C-alpha cells in the first residue's frame, strides 16, 4: 500500500480529486497518510478533516525556507509517506527538501509547461493570447515548474473566454490529469530518458 502526503495552501480541489480517485480505486493501492498546509485558513485542510484524514497546519510565515521545510519533511517521514503530491502548494521547495524524496515529489501546474511557469499561469496564458493552454503534472526538481513531465492535458482557449472561464476549464482537466499521473508513477512501469518519460511495454 502506497502512502501519499498532500501539500496544499488553499482551496484543495486537486486534493479532493485525488482522494475521490483513491476511494473509487481509480488510483490503485494507495492511501493519503497526511495532508499538510502552510496556511491555517486553507479550505483544503477543512475538507481533509471532514474526510477523517490527518491534516496538519505547519505555518511558514516568518520562517526561513529550509527551517519550515525541515518541519514539513519530518511530518511526512513520521507518516511514512512515499509519494509527495503538491496540490496548490504555493511555496518553492528548498533543494534540501527535494533531495529527501528523489523522484517522489509531483506537482500540478495550470499551463502547458514550459510555457507560463510561476504564478497565475492561466492569466498569463490568456493575456499572451495563446489558442490552447492546459495543465501539466511533473516531477519536482530543484528548479521552479521544471522537472520531467508525466501527464499533460490540452484545453482550447475559446473566443468567449475570460481568465476565469479558462481557469475553470483547465481545473476540470487538472482533476483528471493528477490522478492519472499518480497512478502511472505508483505503477512504476516507466523510464525517464533525459527529460522524456516513457511508459514501458506492459507485456
Ligand atoms: C491549481 O490550479 C493548481 O494547478 C495551481 O493552484 C491551483 C490550486 O487549486 N498550482 C499552481 O499554480 C502551482 N504553481 P486547488 O487548491 O483547488 O487544488
Amino acid at each position: 500500500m502506497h502512502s501519499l502526503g498532500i501539500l496544499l495552501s488553499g482551496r484543495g480541489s486537486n486534493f479532493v480529486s485525488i482522494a475521490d480517485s483513491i476511494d473509487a480505486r481509480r488510483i490503485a493501492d494507495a492511501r493519503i497518510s497526511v495532508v499538510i498546509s502552510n496556511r491555517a485558513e486553507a479550505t483544503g485542510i477543512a475538507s481533509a478533516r471532514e474526510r477523517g484524514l490527518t491534516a496538519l497546519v505547519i505555518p511558514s510565515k516568518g520562517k526561513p525556507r529550509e527551517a519550515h521545510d525541515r518541519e514539513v519533511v519530518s511530518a511526512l517521514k513520521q507518516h511514512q509517506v512515499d509519494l509527495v503530491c503538491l496540490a496548490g502548494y504555493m511555496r518553492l521547495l528548498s533543494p534540501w527538501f527535494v533531495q529527501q524524496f528523489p523522484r517522489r515529489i509531483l506537482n500540478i501546474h495550470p499551463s502547458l509547461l514550459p510555457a507560463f511557469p510561476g504564478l497565475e499561469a492561466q492569466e498569463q496564458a490568456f493575456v499572451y493570447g495563446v489558442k490552447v493552454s492546459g495543465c501539466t503534472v511533473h516531477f519536482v526538481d530543484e528548479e521552479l515548474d521544471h522537472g520531467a513531465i508525466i501527464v499533460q492535458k490540452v484545453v482550447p482557449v475559446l473566443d468567449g473566454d475570460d481568465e476565469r472561464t479558462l481557469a475553470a476549464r483547465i481545473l476540470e482537466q487538472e482533476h483528471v490529469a493528477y490522478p492519472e499521473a499518480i497512478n502511472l508513477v505508483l505503477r512504476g512501469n516507466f523510464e525517464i530518458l533525459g527529460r522524456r518519460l516513457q511508459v514501458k511495454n506492459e507485456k
Side-chain angles (χ1 to χ4, degrees):
M1 172 76 73
H2 293 283
S3 168
L4 270 51
I6 309 277
L7 303 191
L8 53 79
S9 301
R11 181 177 54 186
S13 72
N14 276 289
F15 148 65
V16 168
S17 89
I18 295 166
D20 285 347
S21 299
I22 289 175
D23 291 350
R25 308 277 151 92
R26 287 189 297 272
I27 297 175
D29 201 28
R31 69 195 169 92
I32 295 174
S33 300
V34 65
V35 179
I36 301 173
S37 171
N38 62 314
R39 294 176 61 238
E41 41 318 346
T43 52
I45 282 292
S47 323
R49 290 192 175 132
E50 274 164 29
R51 300 180 85 104
L53 296 170
T54 303
L56 309 176
V57 175
I58 303 180
S60 52
K61 214 172 174 185
K63 287 178 196 156
R65 183 174 310 281
E66 201 173 304
H68 179 254
D69 281 0
R70 279 184 190 275
E71 288 180 51
V72 173
V73 166
S74 142
L76 292 169
K77 293 202 165 160
Q78 212 177 321
H79 289 86
Q80 287 161 353
V81 165
D82 57 38
L83 186 70
V84 180
C85 301
L86 310 186
Y89 188 59
M90 298 318 229
R91 297 215 12 115
L92 198 60
L93 303 189
S94 62
W96 178 82
F97 189 145
V98 175
Q99 286 153 19
Q100 301 309 300
F101 293 94
R103 272 209 188 134
R104 298 308 275 178
I105 310 177
L106 312 187
N107 180 43
I108 187 152
H109 184 75
S111 74
L112 293 175
L113 288 172
F116 313 118
L119 293 175
E120 283 158 19
Q122 307 95 323
E123 191 187 338
Q124 289 186 54
F126 183 81
V127 169
Y128 196 92
V130 295
K131 298 298 182 193
V132 292
S133 190
C135 61
T136 304
V137 184
H138 63 93
F139 286 104
V140 171
D141 66 9
E142 292 173 17
E143 289 174 55
L144 176 69
D145 298 331
H146 177 266
I149 292 170
I150 305 161
V151 170
Q152 287 188 309
K153 299 283 178 198
V154 175
V155 174
V157 182
L158 306 178
D159 285 342
D161 267 335
D162 58 28
E163 291 92 331
R164 291 193 36 217
T165 56
L166 176 61
R169 288 207 323 289
I170 292 174
L171 190 64
E172 278 174 28
Q173 290 306 306
E174 294 185 42
H175 297 162
V176 178
Y178 216 162
E180 197 177 306
I182 291 170
N183 212 20
L184 195 156
V185 169
L186 293 181
R187 283 199 353 242
N189 65 326
F190 63 88
E191 53 193 347
I192 297 176
L193 308 164
R195 290 189 47 91
R196 289 194 70 76
L197 180 144
Q198 208 151 315
V199 177
K200 286 188 199 159
N201 206 326
E202 289 212 64
K203 270 184 224 147

